[in-house]
Amino acid sequence: MLYLKSWYESRTRFLLSLIFLCGVSSAVVFYFAFIHRYDRFQSHQSLDYAHYIWGMIFKGGNSVREMFVLIVLFLGMGGLLRERAHGSAAFSLALPIPRWRFVVARGLVGFLEVSALSFVPAVTVLALSRAIGQSFPPAQAIQFAILWSACGAAFFAGAFLCSAVVEGEYASPVTALIALAIYSVTVNISVFGKYPLNSLNIHSVMSGEGMPYFRPDVAQITALPWGTLICISGIAVGFLALSAYVLQRQDF
């Protein structure tokens, strides 16, 4: 029941996010065909399709990846504090269920939603590339989706922690955005520029930029960094555990 409850609470945001990511990724693919169709865009003729897809979707810097991170943050909003703000927490708290189980249910459903969303750009690129006479390696698309899934889970759990600490319809998402901005600025300091310190930058892990498992000359991943992904997944679980601890001690 808790899992269905968590799904019902987040399904609208999830479905809208899925449609949005699919639409944006489709636009990126078809724009490649557009810029190669007209003579005034001849300067783009030398652009390799793999580099284009990586730069516009997977790399970052006003790309689909940033949109995915922001979507995941807002998907992580919810929990008992949000229910209290809407006046519906009394029903949930009246159930003979410990509070940590609410966190586990919301976390597992959220992780599954994030994982599904992480595959949307990859599947869209694979499905539409042939329509414009191009091809993208399926293995690369799947590997980027796995990177997004693990890293997205950490962002989701961090946002959920913010919603467990800060109450309010707008206060918690603003707090999550500020925390993301502080984190992004911190990990971009030059001292973190070299691997393995660069593994602290989840943005780089998602895109592969500057990482030893990524070949920038062909814009391809050579092997997934399983150790790093396990650590990031552990961080996500740790955030959820901290959220459960915070909610357990709060007075409703």
Side-chain angles (χ1 to χ4, degrees), residues 197-213:
L197 288 178
N198 198 33
S199 62
L200 297 172
N201 190 341
I202 301 182
H203 298 297
S204 295
V205 175
M206 291 178 69
S207 66
E209 187 175 18
M211 306 300 280
Y213 55 82

Side-chain angles (χ1 to χ4, degrees), residues 37-107:
R37 185 173 180 178
Y38 299 100
D39 292 337
R40 55 179 176 166
F41 293 105
Q42 285 293 334
S43 59
H44 294 276
Q45 289 287 350
S46 60
L47 183 61
D48 178 73
Y49 185 66
H51 281 87
Y52 170 81
I53 292 297
W54 178 66
M56 294 295 292
I57 293 181
F58 300 116
K59 179 183 178 182
N62 298 321
S63 71
V64 178
R65 187 182 65 77
E66 271 84 4
M67 299 177 191
F68 171 79
V69 172
L70 292 177
I71 285 172
V72 167
L73 288 185
F74 286 101
L75 197 63
M77 295 295 105
L80 292 176
L81 279 186
R82 189 170 187 271
E83 289 187 34
R84 184 170 70 176
H86 286 81
S88 59
F91 171 78
S92 298
L93 293 172
L95 297 173
I97 298 172
R99 296 180 187 177
W100 65 266
R101 289 188 59 184
F102 287 97
V103 176
V104 171
R106 183 68 188 95

Side-chain angles (χ1 to χ4, degrees), residues 98-178:
R99 296 180 187 177
W100 65 266
R101 289 188 59 184
F102 287 97
V103 176
V104 171
R106 183 68 188 95
L108 289 179
V109 171
F111 286 167
L112 289 175
E113 291 174 341
V114 169
S115 181
L117 291 176
S118 68
F119 277 84
V120 170
V123 172
T124 302
V125 169
L126 293 177
L128 298 181
S129 294
R130 190 177 295 273
I132 64 170
Q134 300 292 332
S135 63
F136 192 82
Q140 290 299 307
I142 293 173
Q143 288 181 101
F144 275 116
I146 293 173
L147 290 175
W148 282 29
S149 182
C151 297
F155 285 122
F156 170 87
F160 188 79
L161 176 59
C162 289
S163 68
V165 174
V166 181
E167 182 179 0
E169 188 70 24
Y170 303 103
S172 54
V174 168
T175 302
L177 288 173
I178 292 175

Side-chain angles (χ1 to χ4, degrees), residues 1-8 91 95-97 101-102 105:
M1 184 181 72
L2 288 180
Y3 298 97
L4 283 176
K5 180 177 180 296
S6 298
W7 163 246
Y8 290 149
F91 171 78
L95 297 173
I97 298 172
R101 289 188 59 184
F102 287 97

Side-chain angles (χ1 to χ4, degrees), residues 182-244:
I182 294 174
Y183 166 79
S184 301
V185 171
T186 302
V187 295
N188 281 322
I189 298 175
S190 59
V191 70
F192 297 115
K194 295 183 178 180
Y195 195 84
L197 288 178
N198 198 33
S199 62
L200 297 172
N201 190 341
I202 301 182
H203 298 297
S204 295
V205 175
M206 291 178 69
S207 66
E209 187 175 18
M211 306 300 280
Y213 55 82
F214 183 76
R215 290 184 56 189
D217 55 326
V218 292
Q220 290 189 1
I221 298 172
T222 57
L224 285 174
W226 291 111
T228 300
L229 294 181
I230 291 173
C231 290
I232 293 174
S233 299
I235 291 173
V237 173
F239 280 155
L240 282 184
L242 185 56
S243 300

